[in-house]
Amino acid sequence: MNQTSQKPLAVVTGASSGIGYELALICAQRGYDLVIAADRPEIHGAAARFRELGANVAEVETDLSTTDGVDRLCAAAEGRPIDALLANAGHGLGRGFLDQDFSAERHVLDTNITGTIYLLHKVARDMRTRAAGRILVTGSIAGFIPGSYQAVYNATKSFLNSFCFALREELEDSGVTVTCLMPGVTATDFFERADLMDTKVGRSEKASAQEVAMDGFEAMMRGDAEIISGWRNKLQVATANITPAQILAKKHAQMTAPGTAGQ
């Protein structure tokens, strides 16, 4: 990391692919230096691409479900003030709750919730001290829907959605903004990694990760509280708010139950 760079610094997690990669790409194109992290070796190839755009980049291949992994990420900034934090890292997990391995469920919880809020706690404190900073957290419209066959994942996104609004209120007038990006079904490798490719949702039409990332980045720069990316997702959230939870859970199961891809 170039300590003498005059560029602002953005930290992006989950930046090896999908929405996180596109967020980091936009940051590089908009003149940010980067600290990026993911738990896969593809993060190094992503870093090389961002350097081609003129960004100073420090990449960290680490497990962000652990406090040690988050500490490694923060250390990579080498003391430079973080101007923007784009907390995007997350994992999904398909199939029935009782049919999943609990260690896999715990990893989803620790990545999506524990690691994310630990990172926010560390970075946002410094932002508050400096009275400046922008935070974007990738939640999901899944947080509005009981997630049959994705029970743990949807619950983590419900937590993040709620947490973002609470933190934003606590930071009001502090100079630090918090924005919650809530995408719907997006074209990433999420569904393959979550073992959802034999489901209707796994085979369904998906939004562009590039478009979702741009929606999120622009909302963060405006200081908006939230952005639900895509008009269909806005409609789905509006419908979810007036639909009984039991019905939502049943409809979700129709999309995510194993073996439904051809139905």
Side-chain angles (χ1 to χ4, degrees):
M1 179 60 58
N2 185 347
Q3 290 281 357
T4 63
S5 176
Q6 298 301 307
K7 293 182 178 181
L9 179 63
V11 171
V12 187
T13 64
S16 60
S17 64
I19 296 171
Y21 175 90
E22 297 295 342
L23 285 170
L25 182 64
I26 294 167
C27 287
Q29 292 169 336
R30 298 293 180 92
Y32 283 85
D33 286 338
L34 293 169
V35 175
I36 57 174
D39 61 358
R40 295 190 288 172
E42 288 85 349
I43 194 66
H44 304 292
R49 170 72 178 107
F50 304 145
R51 290 188 184 102
E52 291 174 358
L53 298 173
N56 294 296
V57 184
E59 75 268 28
V60 184
E61 183 183 346
T62 189
D63 184 355
L64 293 171
S65 72
T66 69
T67 54
D68 287 344
V70 174
D71 287 339
R72 286 190 59 211
L73 167 61
C74 292
E78 297 181 348
R80 282 184 60 179
I82 295 168
D83 299 279
L85 170 61
L86 299 90
N88 171 79
H91 287 309
L93 191 63
R95 307 196 179 275
F97 172 71
L98 298 181
D99 300 320
Q100 298 163 342
D101 183 81
F102 185 75
S103 63
E105 294 168 343
R106 178 66 183 269
H107 193 259
V108 171
L109 286 167
D110 286 343
T111 302
N112 296 7
I113 295 178
T114 308
T116 298
I117 66 173
Y118 179 56
L119 176 61
L120 287 166
H121 195 264
K122 290 174 71 71
V123 174
R125 273 188 164 185
D126 181 64
M127 287 180 171
R128 185 179 64 177
T129 299
R130 293 185 290 112
R134 302 178 187 276
I135 297 171
L136 179 71
V137 178
T138 303
S140 175
I141 68 166
F144 296 95
I145 304 168
S148 311
Y149 298 102
Q150 275 187 287
V152 173
Y153 172 77
N154 282 39
T156 65
K157 291 301 182 177
S158 180
F159 178 98
L160 286 179
N161 292 353
S162 174
F163 180 83
C164 283
F165 289 111
L167 180 61
R168 179 183 175 89
E169 177 62 25
E170 292 179 11
L171 290 172
E172 187 178 20
D173 300 324
S174 70
V176 181
T177 60
V178 180
T179 303
C180 187
L181 168 61
M182 292 179 278
V185 178
T186 306
T188 70
D189 60 4
F190 170 90
F191 299 93
E192 184 175 353
R193 296 188 75 189
D195 196 17
L196 288 164
M197 294 309 294
D198 65 342
T199 67
K200 281 186 178 180
V201 71
R203 299 294 183 180
S204 66
E205 182 180 353
K206 299 174 178 64
S208 158
Q210 184 179 21
E211 292 178 2
V212 170
M214 185 59 73
D215 284 346
F217 180 86
E218 291 181 343
M220 178 187 74
M221 296 306 292
R222 291 192 301 266
D224 294 349
E226 64 182 289
I227 176 69
I228 299 171
S229 183
W231 69 266
R232 290 181 181 177
N233 295 323
K234 292 181 175 67
L235 179 61
Q236 189 172 351
V237 169
T239 302
N241 285 331
I242 59 172
T243 303
Q246 185 175 357
I247 294 175
L248 291 173
K250 187 174 290 294
K251 288 183 175 295
H252 196 279
Q254 293 168 357
M255 295 297 294
T256 57
T260 57
Q263 296 180 12

